[in-house]
Amino acid sequence: MAFVGAAGVQRGQAARSRNEVVICRAEDAPSGGAQTPVLRTRREVLSAAAALLAAAGVSAAAPAAFAQDAAVAPPPPPPVEYKFDFRLTGDYKADATAVLGNMRSVTGMARGTPGMADNVAGTRKSMNEFVAQYRRNGKVSGSVSFSTLYTAINTLSGHFQSYGNSYPVPEKRRKRLNAQYVEIEKALARGR
């Protein structure tokens, strides 16, 4: 039988460092019953405890195995077919709506979505072409929808430039982009 205590607690023995504990083993005690304290580090104590548990056949995952109401992971969602149109027509409202739809689809993609890298690359190309075509158009560049869309394009393009075409948009950035998408749709509906 072993007694484990914090350093300095058993028999007034002080430890040499914070990481040491005092272990008094009954088998090391003299015949009078007094226990001899032994200094051990926490790592040694925890390693010995893990070895004892492993020898007894108990693992760290054992409590989960005994749970009666263990949650079963839901099946993965079915693959989603994304339809992308990467061509610009020259009509601002139609092009903005198409680019916005592509951006919304790419923003919602999860890690491991089939064809994600290709769709992101196509969307990035359409975003660059959209900005190149309409940035210099005085009638369009001053509109609310264009300035908000331009901000969203910069955010999404910057994300994929930094993290690559296969890394999904993080939740915090996705929420901000979705809020911008709603503003853009409202502005486009009002003709602004």
Side-chain angles (χ1 to χ4, degrees):
M1 175 174 232
F3 302 97
V4 180
V9 174
Q10 297 281 335
R11 316 282 278 163
Q13 172 107 13
R16 293 183 299 257
S17 73
R18 278 182 57 193
N19 294 329
E20 291 181 334
V21 293
V22 177
I23 299 176
C24 297
R25 295 184 299 191
E27 55 270 3
D28 291 340
S31 61
Q35 297 175 347
T36 307
V38 178
L39 290 177
R40 298 281 183 225
T41 64
R42 288 186 182 139
R43 179 173 290 171
E44 290 172 340
V45 171
L46 292 175
S47 296
L52 284 173
L53 288 175
V58 179
S59 69
F66 294 114
Q68 293 178 2
D69 298 328
V72 177
V80 179
E81 291 291 326
Y82 294 100
K83 186 176 181 182
F84 290 91
D85 183 22
F86 299 120
R87 289 175 275 122
L88 297 178
T89 62
D91 176 30
Y92 171 72
K93 188 171 183 177
D95 289 344
T97 304
V99 168
L100 183 61
N102 292 346
M103 290 172 63
R104 188 180 293 268
S105 296
V106 167
T107 302
M109 288 183 174
R111 183 183 292 265
T113 302
M116 180 177 180
D118 295 333
N119 290 327
V120 168
T123 300
R124 288 181 68 191
K125 183 178 181 223
S126 70
M127 291 187 305
N128 290 337
E129 289 174 358
F130 178 84
V131 169
Q133 182 168 347
Y134 292 107
R135 179 175 39 199
R136 291 191 179 92
N137 185 340
K139 293 180 183 178
V140 172
S141 64
S143 68
V144 176
S145 62
F146 181 79
S147 61
T148 309
L149 183 57
Y150 190 76
T151 302
I153 285 172
N154 280 337
T155 302
L156 191 59
S157 183
H159 166 76
F160 289 120
Q161 181 66 34
S162 297
Y163 298 104
N165 292 350
S166 299
Y167 190 80
V169 178
E171 187 62 31
K172 185 176 179 181
R173 188 171 294 141
R174 183 180 304 138
K175 285 180 182 179
R176 188 174 74 235
L177 283 168
N178 285 330
Q180 289 175 342
Y181 298 158
V182 170
E183 289 178 30
I184 295 164
E185 287 174 339
K186 286 179 183 177
L188 285 172
R190 286 186 243 138
R192 300 179 69 200

